[in-house]
Amino acid sequence: MKILVTGGSGYVGSVLVPALLRQGYRVKVFDNLLFKQTSLLPHFINPLFEFVHGDVRDVHALARAVEDVDLIIHLAAIVGAPICSAHPELAEAVNYQGTVNLDSVRSSHQPIIYASTGSNYGKVDGICTEDTPLHPLSVYGQTKTKAEEHLKRSGNMIGFRFATAFGISPRLRLDLMPNDFALQALRVGNLIVYQKQVRRTFIHVTDMTRAFLHAIQHYEEMKNEIYNVGHERMNLTKEEVALLVKKFVNYYLHFAEIGSDPDQRDYEVSYEKIRSKGFETQVSMEEGIREVVSALKLLQPENPYSNISI
Ligand SMILES: NC(=O)c1ccc[n+]([C@@H]2O[C@H](COP(=O)([O-])OP(=O)(O)OC[C@H]3O[C@@H](n4cnc5c(N)ncnc54)[C@H](O)[C@@H]3O)[C@@H](O)[C@H]2O)c1
């Protein structure tokens, strides 16, 4: 089977692509290398791997890329609330119109698995199921919601509403909340957490990969549905995440009573539906934080303008 992975050089893709190759799938990555990533370099030696430098806003390039593939995993996007708010037109063109473009060039026989997001829910009282009305708060959530709805109408698809990812990838993202908390604890030695009771939901990046593999292997039983992807035991408050970092780093943690976080997501999610299809995540927040803390020690960016260490 040959799989097209759009956005395959990103944080998620750089973990997913090697896993697909290890399973013996042929993999074609289509990516515009927005961040000048080199994370897929080790795979060019692999005859199962192919790379196309292309942009999802270019419908002709997409049409050529989909020609010989059996299944599509669509990751390409402008990812995260801050970058989408800073570049709303780009977010619309890539996240929504790019998805419409991809959908317009695939045949009805080519399944698509879409990386959607829990950001589609917004601020919700109670527990989100896949039937909870979507009220995305950010341009990111709004463009991802429109894209998901477009694919749902088109059919022959699976939509995965992923929790917030964490953990190490060859294309690292340190803006993700657990990764960012670990970074600040290690580098700055202190962390101020606003609105500590706000609840978020998380998934380790390798569990995202497992979910995609599961969907490929159980496509017929799972198709034409949306699934929340994560685990209830990973519905955690910001306080719980910050305290877990304390297990691995001795740092000063302050919970501020005044002030608020620009990220207003506060929600709890049910993962019953994907569990009923035989999928459960494996990696705990504690294991992921341990991983991130050890890996960040290895990266060691130095501050040259300080006499504190040599
Ligand atoms: N990381 C998370 O917490 C998370 C959670 C839920 C859903 N998702 C979804 O998973 C997918 C991957 O996210 P990520 O964390 O790997 O983000 P990322 O920013 O690391 O990866 C996005 C990739 O898309 C590529 N890209 C951007 N614009 C493009 C364009 N115009 N044409 C072609 N490629 C383009 C980038 O170069 C990058 O490789 C996204 O669709 C995102 O919405 C991520």
mmCIF file of all heavy atoms in Angstrom, residues 166-168 172-193 241-242 244-246 248-252 285 288-302:
data_model
loop_
_atom_site.group_PDB
_atom_site.id
_atom_site.type_symbol
_atom_site.label_atom_id
_atom_site.label_comp_id
_atom_site.label_asym_id
_atom_site.label_seq_id
_atom_site.Cartn_x
_atom_site.Cartn_y
_atom_site.Cartn_z
ATOM 1 N N PHE A 166 2.151 15.932 23.012
ATOM 2 C CA PHE A 166 3.373 16.240 23.758
ATOM 3 C C PHE A 166 4.373 15.146 23.460
ATOM 4 O O PHE A 166 4.042 14.127 22.862
ATOM 5 C CB PHE A 166 3.106 16.359 25.271
ATOM 6 C CG PHE A 166 2.666 15.066 25.916
ATOM 7 C CD1 PHE A 166 3.568 14.288 26.637
ATOM 8 C CD2 PHE A 166 1.363 14.621 25.796
ATOM 9 C CE1 PHE A 166 3.161 13.104 27.233
ATOM 10 C CE2 PHE A 166 0.948 13.428 26.384
ATOM 11 C CZ PHE A 166 1.862 12.673 27.108
ATOM 12 N N GLY A 167 5.620 15.359 23.875
ATOM 13 C CA GLY A 167 6.658 14.362 23.652
ATOM 14 C C GLY A 167 7.646 14.834 22.596
ATOM 15 O O GLY A 167 7.513 15.912 22.022
ATOM 16 N N ILE A 168 8.640 13.994 22.378
ATOM 17 C CA ILE A 168 9.759 14.359 21.507
ATOM 18 C C ILE A 168 9.518 13.859 20.081
ATOM 19 O O ILE A 168 9.041 12.754 19.877
ATOM 20 C CB ILE A 168 11.068 13.745 22.067
ATOM 21 C CG1 ILE A 168 11.427 14.401 23.412
ATOM 22 C CG2 ILE A 168 12.222 13.881 21.078
ATOM 23 C CD1 ILE A 168 11.780 15.872 23.352
ATOM 24 N N LEU A 172 10.970 19.107 16.518
ATOM 25 C CA LEU A 172 10.466 19.358 17.863
ATOM 26 C C LEU A 172 9.523 20.555 17.897
ATOM 27 O O LEU A 172 9.731 21.524 17.175
ATOM 28 C CB LEU A 172 11.666 19.616 18.769
ATOM 29 C CG LEU A 172 11.499 19.388 20.258
ATOM 30 C CD1 LEU A 172 10.793 18.080 20.559
ATOM 31 C CD2 LEU A 172 12.862 19.408 20.933
ATOM 32 N N ARG A 173 8.473 20.448 18.718
ATOM 33 C CA ARG A 173 7.641 21.627 19.010
ATOM 34 C C ARG A 173 7.673 21.839 20.507
ATOM 35 O O ARG A 173 7.210 20.994 21.273
ATOM 36 C CB ARG A 173 6.198 21.406 18.537
ATOM 37 C CG ARG A 173 6.021 21.612 17.047
ATOM 38 C CD ARG A 173 4.561 21.587 16.677
ATOM 39 N NE ARG A 173 3.795 22.591 17.391
ATOM 40 C CZ ARG A 173 2.456 22.592 17.462
ATOM 41 N NH1 ARG A 173 1.760 21.649 16.859
ATOM 42 N NH2 ARG A 173 1.819 23.531 18.121
ATOM 43 N N LEU A 174 8.223 22.986 20.899
ATOM 44 C CA LEU A 174 8.307 23.284 22.327
ATOM 45 C C LEU A 174 7.231 24.270 22.746
ATOM 46 O O LEU A 174 7.212 24.730 23.878
ATOM 47 C CB LEU A 174 9.707 23.799 22.673
ATOM 48 C CG LEU A 174 10.805 22.736 22.496
ATOM 49 C CD1 LEU A 174 12.186 23.329 22.688
ATOM 50 C CD2 LEU A 174 10.592 21.564 23.442
ATOM 51 N N ASP A 175 6.313 24.581 21.817
ATOM 52 C CA ASP A 175 5.191 25.444 22.187
ATOM 53 C C ASP A 175 4.047 24.632 22.787
ATOM 54 O O ASP A 175 3.149 25.195 23.407
ATOM 55 C CB ASP A 175 4.686 26.209 20.957
ATOM 56 C CG ASP A 175 4.312 25.296 19.797
ATOM 57 O OD1 ASP A 175 5.084 24.372 19.489
ATOM 58 O OD2 ASP A 175 3.229 25.497 19.193
ATOM 59 N N LEU A 176 4.037 23.317 22.622
ATOM 60 C CA LEU A 176 2.963 22.486 23.178
ATOM 61 C C LEU A 176 3.055 22.510 24.698
ATOM 62 O O LEU A 176 4.155 22.413 25.258
ATOM 63 C CB LEU A 176 3.113 21.049 22.648
ATOM 64 C CG LEU A 176 3.008 20.958 21.121
ATOM 65 C CD1 LEU A 176 3.587 19.654 20.611
ATOM 66 C CD2 LEU A 176 1.547 21.119 20.680
ATOM 67 N N MET A 177 1.914 22.642 25.369
ATOM 68 C CA MET A 177 1.935 22.981 26.791
ATOM 69 C C MET A 177 2.856 22.105 27.660
ATOM 70 O O MET A 177 3.708 22.637 28.372
ATOM 71 C CB MET A 177 0.523 23.012 27.360
ATOM 72 C CG MET A 177 0.450 23.736 28.663
ATOM 73 S SD MET A 177 -1.178 23.556 29.368
ATOM 74 C CE MET A 177 -0.842 22.317 30.552
ATOM 75 N N PRO A 178 2.743 20.773 27.642
ATOM 76 C CA PRO A 178 3.613 19.989 28.529
ATOM 77 C C PRO A 178 5.096 20.171 28.171
ATOM 78 O O PRO A 178 5.950 20.277 29.067
ATOM 79 C CB PRO A 178 3.168 18.544 28.281
ATOM 80 C CG PRO A 178 1.779 18.663 27.738
ATOM 81 C CD PRO A 178 1.771 19.920 26.925
ATOM 82 N N ASN A 179 5.405 20.233 26.866
ATOM 83 C CA ASN A 179 6.791 20.436 26.447
ATOM 84 C C ASN A 179 7.289 21.808 26.912
ATOM 85 O O ASN A 179 8.430 21.957 27.376
ATOM 86 C CB ASN A 179 6.911 20.348 24.924
ATOM 87 C CG ASN A 179 6.634 18.949 24.388
ATOM 88 O OD1 ASN A 179 6.331 18.034 25.145
ATOM 89 N ND2 ASN A 179 6.737 18.774 23.079
ATOM 90 N N ASP A 180 6.420 22.803 26.814
ATOM 91 C CA ASP A 180 6.773 24.166 27.212
ATOM 92 C C ASP A 180 6.986 24.254 28.726
ATOM 93 O O ASP A 180 7.945 24.894 29.192
ATOM 94 C CB ASP A 180 5.648 25.109 26.762
ATOM 95 C CG ASP A 180 5.866 26.519 27.241
ATOM 96 O OD1 ASP A 180 6.941 27.075 26.976
ATOM 97 O OD2 ASP A 180 4.961 27.079 27.903
ATOM 98 N N PHE A 181 6.136 23.603 29.503
ATOM 99 C CA PHE A 181 6.310 23.616 30.968
ATOM 100 C C PHE A 181 7.667 23.001 31.336
ATOM 101 O O PHE A 181 8.401 23.527 32.172
ATOM 102 C CB PHE A 181 5.192 22.821 31.660
ATOM 103 C CG PHE A 181 3.900 23.583 31.851
ATOM 104 C CD1 PHE A 181 3.652 24.771 31.176
ATOM 105 C CD2 PHE A 181 2.915 23.108 32.721
ATOM 106 C CE1 PHE A 181 2.459 25.467 31.352
ATOM 107 C CE2 PHE A 181 1.723 23.799 32.917
ATOM 108 C CZ PHE A 181 1.487 24.976 32.227
ATOM 109 N N ALA A 182 7.992 21.878 30.691
ATOM 110 C CA ALA A 182 9.267 21.202 30.983
ATOM 111 C C ALA A 182 10.437 22.113 30.605
ATOM 112 O O ALA A 182 11.425 22.241 31.344
ATOM 113 C CB ALA A 182 9.351 19.880 30.223
ATOM 114 N N LEU A 183 10.314 22.780 29.453
ATOM 115 C CA LEU A 183 11.377 23.674 28.989
ATOM 116 C C LEU A 183 11.600 24.817 29.974
ATOM 117 O O LEU A 183 12.731 25.114 30.364
ATOM 118 C CB LEU A 183 10.998 24.240 27.613
ATOM 119 C CG LEU A 183 11.978 25.236 27.013
ATOM 120 C CD1 LEU A 183 13.199 24.510 26.462
ATOM 121 C CD2 LEU A 183 11.329 26.056 25.903
ATOM 122 N N GLN A 184 10.499 25.452 30.398
ATOM 123 C CA GLN A 184 10.636 26.599 31.307
ATOM 124 C C GLN A 184 11.204 26.165 32.656
ATOM 125 O O GLN A 184 12.036 26.863 33.236
ATOM 126 C CB GLN A 184 9.280 27.267 31.508
ATOM 127 C CG GLN A 184 8.802 27.977 30.260
ATOM 128 C CD GLN A 184 7.652 28.910 30.582
ATOM 129 O OE1 GLN A 184 7.743 29.724 31.483
ATOM 130 N NE2 GLN A 184 6.565 28.759 29.846
ATOM 131 N N ALA A 185 10.760 25.018 33.144
ATOM 132 C CA ALA A 185 11.260 24.525 34.429
ATOM 133 C C ALA A 185 12.766 24.316 34.355
ATOM 134 O O ALA A 185 13.522 24.705 35.251
ATOM 135 C CB ALA A 185 10.548 23.229 34.796
ATOM 136 N N LEU A 186 13.219 23.718 33.241
ATOM 137 C CA LEU A 186 14.640 23.401 33.093
ATOM 138 C C LEU A 186 15.487 24.630 32.834
ATOM 139 O O LEU A 186 16.544 24.818 33.424
ATOM 140 C CB LEU A 186 14.819 22.464 31.898
ATOM 141 C CG LEU A 186 14.905 20.980 32.163
ATOM 142 C CD1 LEU A 186 14.992 20.257 30.834
ATOM 143 C CD2 LEU A 186 16.127 20.625 33.015
ATOM 144 N N ARG A 187 15.037 25.467 31.904
ATOM 145 C CA ARG A 187 15.867 26.564 31.422
ATOM 146 C C ARG A 187 15.772 27.797 32.287
ATOM 147 O O ARG A 187 16.757 28.463 32.549
ATOM 148 C CB ARG A 187 15.440 26.960 30.000
ATOM 149 C CG ARG A 187 15.721 25.942 28.979
ATOM 150 C CD ARG A 187 17.219 25.928 28.626
ATOM 151 N NE ARG A 187 17.585 24.634 28.095
ATOM 152 C CZ ARG A 187 17.184 24.170 26.933
ATOM 153 N NH1 ARG A 187 16.431 24.883 26.163
ATOM 154 N NH2 ARG A 187 17.566 22.986 26.543
ATOM 155 N N VAL A 188 14.531 28.131 32.676
ATOM 156 C CA VAL A 188 14.323 29.380 33.405
ATOM 157 C C VAL A 188 14.376 29.121 34.903
ATOM 158 O O VAL A 188 14.709 29.998 35.683
ATOM 159 C CB VAL A 188 12.969 30.017 32.994
ATOM 160 C CG1 VAL A 188 12.802 31.403 33.593
ATOM 161 C CG2 VAL A 188 12.811 30.061 31.487
ATOM 162 N N GLY A 189 14.012 27.898 35.283
ATOM 163 C CA GLY A 189 14.033 27.548 36.706
ATOM 164 C C GLY A 189 12.786 27.966 37.430
ATOM 165 O O GLY A 189 12.663 27.752 38.634
ATOM 166 N N ASN A 190 11.844 28.581 36.716
ATOM 167 C CA ASN A 190 10.568 28.883 37.353
ATOM 168 C C ASN A 190 9.451 28.929 36.313
ATOM 169 O O ASN A 190 9.710 29.066 35.112
ATOM 170 C CB ASN A 190 10.632 30.187 38.155
ATOM 171 C CG ASN A 190 10.889 31.382 37.281
ATOM 172 O OD1 ASN A 190 10.110 31.688 36.392
ATOM 173 N ND2 ASN A 190 12.009 32.056 37.512
ATOM 174 N N LEU A 191 8.240 28.800 36.812
ATOM 175 C CA LEU A 191 7.080 28.763 35.921
ATOM 176 C C LEU A 191 5.904 29.406 36.649
ATOM 177 O O LEU A 191 5.638 29.081 37.808
ATOM 178 C CB LEU A 191 6.759 27.291 35.596
ATOM 179 C CG LEU A 191 5.509 26.989 34.776
ATOM 180 C CD1 LEU A 191 5.631 27.575 33.378
ATOM 181 C CD2 LEU A 191 5.319 25.473 34.673
ATOM 182 N N ILE A 192 5.242 30.336 35.963
ATOM 183 C CA ILE A 192 4.019 30.933 36.523
ATOM 184 C C ILE A 192 2.841 30.350 35.751
ATOM 185 O O ILE A 192 2.797 30.437 34.521
ATOM 186 C CB ILE A 192 4.033 32.466 36.397
ATOM 187 C CG1 ILE A 192 5.236 33.027 37.171
ATOM 188 C CG2 ILE A 192 2.733 33.064 36.916
ATOM 189 C CD1 ILE A 192 5.475 34.496 36.946
ATOM 190 N N VAL A 193 1.922 29.731 36.483
ATOM 191 C CA VAL A 193 0.758 29.120 35.841
ATOM 192 C C VAL A 193 -0.488 29.898 36.235
ATOM 193 O O VAL A 193 -0.800 30.043 37.409
ATOM 194 C CB VAL A 193 0.622 27.628 36.252
ATOM 195 C CG1 VAL A 193 -0.661 27.035 35.699
ATOM 196 C CG2 VAL A 193 1.839 26.832 35.778
ATOM 197 N N VAL A 241 -0.290 18.995 35.408
ATOM 198 C CA VAL A 241 0.864 18.863 34.495
ATOM 199 C C VAL A 241 2.095 19.513 35.127
ATOM 200 O O VAL A 241 3.186 18.933 35.155
ATOM 201 C CB VAL A 241 0.560 19.488 33.109
ATOM 202 C CG1 VAL A 241 1.788 19.418 32.207
ATOM 203 C CG2 VAL A 241 -0.630 18.790 32.452
ATOM 204 N N ALA A 242 1.908 20.718 35.677
ATOM 205 C CA ALA A 242 3.046 21.439 36.271
ATOM 206 C C ALA A 242 3.637 20.652 37.440
ATOM 207 O O ALA A 242 4.862 20.588 37.611
ATOM 208 C CB ALA A 242 2.597 22.821 36.722
ATOM 209 N N LEU A 244 3.581 17.404 37.787
ATOM 210 C CA LEU A 244 4.315 16.242 37.261
ATOM 211 C C LEU A 244 5.738 16.629 36.854
ATOM 212 O O LEU A 244 6.676 15.850 37.045
ATOM 213 C CB LEU A 244 3.583 15.658 36.049
ATOM 214 C CG LEU A 244 2.501 14.635 36.359
ATOM 215 C CD1 LEU A 244 1.742 14.251 35.093
ATOM 216 C CD2 LEU A 244 3.100 13.382 36.996
ATOM 217 N N VAL A 245 5.889 17.846 36.303
ATOM 218 C CA VAL A 245 7.233 18.299 35.924
ATOM 219 C C VAL A 245 8.125 18.346 37.160
ATOM 220 O O VAL A 245 9.322 18.043 37.101
ATOM 221 C CB VAL A 245 7.178 19.671 35.204
ATOM 222 C CG1 VAL A 245 8.577 20.178 34.878
ATOM 223 C CG2 VAL A 245 6.324 19.598 33.941
ATOM 224 N N LYS A 246 7.525 18.677 38.302
ATOM 225 C CA LYS A 246 8.284 18.767 39.573
ATOM 226 C C LYS A 246 8.920 17.435 39.952
ATOM 227 O O LYS A 246 9.900 17.390 40.692
ATOM 228 C CB LYS A 246 7.359 19.228 40.705
ATOM 229 C CG LYS A 246 7.284 20.719 40.823
ATOM 230 C CD LYS A 246 7.307 21.130 42.296
ATOM 231 C CE LYS A 246 7.578 22.598 42.455
ATOM 232 N NZ LYS A 246 8.906 22.931 42.820
ATOM 233 N N PHE A 248 10.593 15.632 38.098
ATOM 234 C CA PHE A 248 11.847 15.452 37.360
ATOM 235 C C PHE A 248 12.757 16.670 37.407
ATOM 236 O O PHE A 248 13.944 16.564 37.109
ATOM 237 C CB PHE A 248 11.542 15.098 35.891
ATOM 238 C CG PHE A 248 10.679 13.879 35.764
ATOM 239 C CD1 PHE A 248 9.317 13.993 35.545
ATOM 240 C CD2 PHE A 248 11.224 12.618 35.913
ATOM 241 C CE1 PHE A 248 8.511 12.875 35.461
ATOM 242 C CE2 PHE A 248 10.432 11.489 35.822
ATOM 243 C CZ PHE A 248 9.070 11.606 35.602
ATOM 244 N N VAL A 249 12.197 17.838 37.714
ATOM 245 C CA VAL A 249 13.010 19.063 37.751
ATOM 246 C C VAL A 249 12.686 19.810 39.039
ATOM 247 O O VAL A 249 11.511 19.990 39.373
ATOM 248 C CB VAL A 249 12.659 20.019 36.573
ATOM 249 C CG1 VAL A 249 13.678 21.166 36.508
ATOM 250 C CG2 VAL A 249 12.604 19.292 35.253
ATOM 251 N N ASN A 250 13.743 20.237 39.719
ATOM 252 C CA ASN A 250 13.544 21.038 40.917
ATOM 253 C C ASN A 250 13.441 22.500 40.485
ATOM 254 O O ASN A 250 14.438 23.113 40.131
ATOM 255 C CB ASN A 250 14.744 20.822 41.861
ATOM 256 C CG ASN A 250 14.565 21.576 43.151
ATOM 257 O OD1 ASN A 250 13.452 22.011 43.465
ATOM 258 N ND2 ASN A 250 15.644 21.763 43.873
ATOM 259 N N TYR A 251 12.228 23.028 40.448
ATOM 260 C CA TYR A 251 12.064 24.402 39.971
ATOM 261 C C TYR A 251 11.002 25.111 40.802
ATOM 262 O O TYR A 251 10.252 24.476 41.549
ATOM 263 C CB TYR A 251 11.703 24.435 38.478
ATOM 264 C CG TYR A 251 10.277 24.034 38.168
ATOM 265 C CD1 TYR A 251 9.330 24.996 37.817
ATOM 266 C CD2 TYR A 251 9.860 22.711 38.212
ATOM 267 C CE1 TYR A 251 8.020 24.648 37.531
ATOM 268 C CE2 TYR A 251 8.552 22.353 37.930
ATOM 269 C CZ TYR A 251 7.641 23.320 37.590
ATOM 270 O OH TYR A 251 6.349 22.978 37.314
ATOM 271 N N TYR A 252 10.964 26.456 40.662
ATOM 272 C CA TYR A 252 10.011 27.245 41.432
ATOM 273 C C TYR A 252 8.716 27.368 40.639
ATOM 274 O O TYR A 252 8.705 27.882 39.514
ATOM 275 C CB TYR A 252 10.606 28.633 41.714
ATOM 276 C CG TYR A 252 9.625 29.535 42.398
ATOM 277 C CD1 TYR A 252 9.270 29.315 43.737
ATOM 278 C CD2 TYR A 252 9.031 30.588 41.722
ATOM 279 C CE1 TYR A 252 8.337 30.137 44.361
ATOM 280 C CE2 TYR A 252 8.106 31.408 42.339
ATOM 281 C CZ TYR A 252 7.758 31.166 43.663
ATOM 282 O OH TYR A 252 6.835 31.963 44.265
ATOM 283 N N MET A 285 1.343 10.843 30.849
ATOM 284 C CA MET A 285 1.962 12.172 30.914
ATOM 285 C C MET A 285 3.305 12.080 31.652
ATOM 286 O O MET A 285 4.285 12.717 31.264
ATOM 287 C CB MET A 285 1.010 13.142 31.618
ATOM 288 C CG MET A 285 1.533 14.551 31.734
ATOM 289 S SD MET A 285 1.975 15.322 30.165
ATOM 290 C CE MET A 285 0.360 15.751 29.526
ATOM 291 N N GLY A 288 5.949 10.839 29.367
ATOM 292 C CA GLY A 288 6.272 11.851 28.361
ATOM 293 C C GLY A 288 7.099 12.985 28.944
ATOM 294 O O GLY A 288 8.053 13.458 28.321
ATOM 295 N N ILE A 289 6.739 13.428 30.154
ATOM 296 C CA ILE A 289 7.504 14.520 30.792
ATOM 297 C C ILE A 289 8.931 14.045 31.081
ATOM 298 O O ILE A 289 9.902 14.775 30.849
ATOM 299 C CB ILE A 289 6.823 14.971 32.106
ATOM 300 C CG1 ILE A 289 5.434 15.552 31.829
ATOM 301 C CG2 ILE A 289 7.701 15.938 32.880
ATOM 302 C CD1 ILE A 289 5.389 16.991 31.421
ATOM 303 N N ARG A 290 9.045 12.812 31.549
ATOM 304 C CA ARG A 290 10.390 12.267 31.804
ATOM 305 C C ARG A 290 11.216 12.300 30.518
ATOM 306 O O ARG A 290 12.363 12.723 30.496
ATOM 307 C CB ARG A 290 10.285 10.826 32.343
ATOM 308 C CG ARG A 290 11.618 10.241 32.798
ATOM 309 C CD ARG A 290 11.608 8.721 32.886
ATOM 310 N NE ARG A 290 11.179 8.056 31.659
ATOM 311 C CZ ARG A 290 11.903 7.952 30.554
ATOM 312 N NH1 ARG A 290 13.118 8.449 30.505
ATOM 313 N NH2 ARG A 290 11.418 7.344 29.482
ATOM 314 N N GLU A 291 10.591 11.864 29.419
ATOM 315 C CA GLU A 291 11.263 11.867 28.112
ATOM 316 C C GLU A 291 11.690 13.285 27.717
ATOM 317 O O GLU A 291 12.847 13.509 27.329
ATOM 318 C CB GLU A 291 10.292 11.313 27.060
ATOM 319 C CG GLU A 291 10.810 11.398 25.631
ATOM 320 C CD GLU A 291 9.684 11.407 24.583
ATOM 321 O OE1 GLU A 291 8.566 11.860 24.888
ATOM 322 O OE2 GLU A 291 9.950 10.970 23.450
ATOM 323 N N VAL A 292 10.773 14.229 27.828
ATOM 324 C CA VAL A 292 11.060 15.597 27.365
ATOM 325 C C VAL A 292 12.173 16.214 28.216
ATOM 326 O O VAL A 292 13.121 16.814 27.684
ATOM 327 C CB VAL A 292 9.781 16.470 27.400
ATOM 328 C CG1 VAL A 292 10.099 17.923 27.083
ATOM 329 C CG2 VAL A 292 8.748 15.934 26.414
ATOM 330 N N VAL A 293 12.097 16.015 29.536
ATOM 331 C CA VAL A 293 13.120 16.595 30.421
ATOM 332 C C VAL A 293 14.491 16.009 30.074
ATOM 333 O O VAL A 293 15.475 16.746 29.926
ATOM 334 C CB VAL A 293 12.756 16.359 31.905
ATOM 335 C CG1 VAL A 293 13.933 16.688 32.813
ATOM 336 C CG2 VAL A 293 11.532 17.194 32.290
ATOM 337 N N SER A 294 14.573 14.683 29.877
ATOM 338 C CA SER A 294 15.897 14.102 29.562
ATOM 339 C C SER A 294 16.387 14.605 28.216
ATOM 340 O O SER A 294 17.570 14.908 28.055
ATOM 341 C CB SER A 294 15.899 12.566 29.499
ATOM 342 O OG SER A 294 14.804 12.028 30.113
ATOM 343 N N ALA A 295 15.502 14.691 27.238
ATOM 344 C CA ALA A 295 15.935 15.096 25.899
ATOM 345 C C ALA A 295 16.356 16.567 25.883
ATOM 346 O O ALA A 295 17.332 16.925 25.216
ATOM 347 C CB ALA A 295 14.814 14.857 24.904
ATOM 348 N N LEU A 296 15.645 17.408 26.621
ATOM 349 C CA LEU A 296 15.989 18.832 26.609
ATOM 350 C C LEU A 296 17.349 19.076 27.249
ATOM 351 O O LEU A 296 18.068 20.000 26.858
ATOM 352 C CB LEU A 296 14.904 19.660 27.306
ATOM 353 C CG LEU A 296 13.585 19.763 26.549
ATOM 354 C CD1 LEU A 296 12.593 20.632 27.306
ATOM 355 C CD2 LEU A 296 13.796 20.339 25.151
ATOM 356 N N LYS A 297 17.717 18.221 28.201
ATOM 357 C CA LYS A 297 19.056 18.369 28.807
ATOM 358 C C LYS A 297 20.117 18.183 27.725
ATOM 359 O O LYS A 297 21.154 18.823 27.733
ATOM 360 C CB LYS A 297 19.247 17.340 29.916
ATOM 361 C CG LYS A 297 18.544 17.735 31.197
ATOM 362 C CD LYS A 297 18.794 16.712 32.284
ATOM 363 C CE LYS A 297 17.963 17.014 33.503
ATOM 364 N NZ LYS A 297 17.752 15.834 34.346
ATOM 365 N N LEU A 298 19.828 17.292 26.776
ATOM 366 C CA LEU A 298 20.775 17.004 25.698
ATOM 367 C C LEU A 298 20.902 18.185 24.733
ATOM 368 O O LEU A 298 21.962 18.434 24.182
ATOM 369 C CB LEU A 298 20.257 15.773 24.962
ATOM 370 C CG LEU A 298 21.032 15.168 23.824
ATOM 371 C CD1 LEU A 298 21.383 13.740 24.203
ATOM 372 C CD2 LEU A 298 20.187 15.141 22.570
ATOM 373 N N LEU A 299 19.818 18.934 24.538
ATOM 374 C CA LEU A 299 19.854 20.015 23.537
ATOM 375 C C LEU A 299 20.670 21.224 23.990
ATOM 376 O O LEU A 299 21.334 21.854 23.178
ATOM 377 C CB LEU A 299 18.434 20.454 23.168
ATOM 378 C CG LEU A 299 17.604 19.384 22.456
ATOM 379 C CD1 LEU A 299 16.226 19.928 22.125
ATOM 380 C CD2 LEU A 299 18.275 18.894 21.188
ATOM 381 N N GLN A 300 20.587 21.572 25.271
ATOM 382 C CA GLN A 300 21.464 22.588 25.878
ATOM 383 C C GLN A 300 21.742 23.869 25.097
ATOM 384 O O GLN A 300 22.902 24.184 24.862
ATOM 385 C CB GLN A 300 22.849 21.965 26.150
ATOM 386 C CG GLN A 300 22.904 20.925 27.217
ATOM 387 C CD GLN A 300 22.857 21.500 28.622
ATOM 388 O OE1 GLN A 300 22.815 22.714 28.816
ATOM 389 N NE2 GLN A 300 22.826 20.641 29.603
ATOM 390 N N PRO A 301 20.754 24.639 24.632
ATOM 391 C CA PRO A 301 21.153 25.918 24.036
ATOM 392 C C PRO A 301 21.712 26.841 25.117
ATOM 393 O O PRO A 301 21.166 26.925 26.201
ATOM 394 C CB PRO A 301 19.856 26.477 23.456
ATOM 395 C CG PRO A 301 18.769 25.759 24.133
ATOM 396 C CD PRO A 301 19.316 24.499 24.727
ATOM 397 N N GLU A 302 22.805 27.475 24.829
ATOM 398 C CA GLU A 302 23.481 28.287 25.844
ATOM 399 C C GLU A 302 23.099 29.753 25.691
ATOM 400 O O GLU A 302 22.809 30.225 24.598
ATOM 401 C CB GLU A 302 25.000 28.148 25.688
ATOM 402 C CG GLU A 302 25.535 26.779 26.070
ATOM 403 C CD GLU A 302 25.311 26.446 27.538
ATOM 404 O OE1 GLU A 302 25.265 27.367 28.365
ATOM 405 O OE2 GLU A 302 25.183 25.248 27.850
#
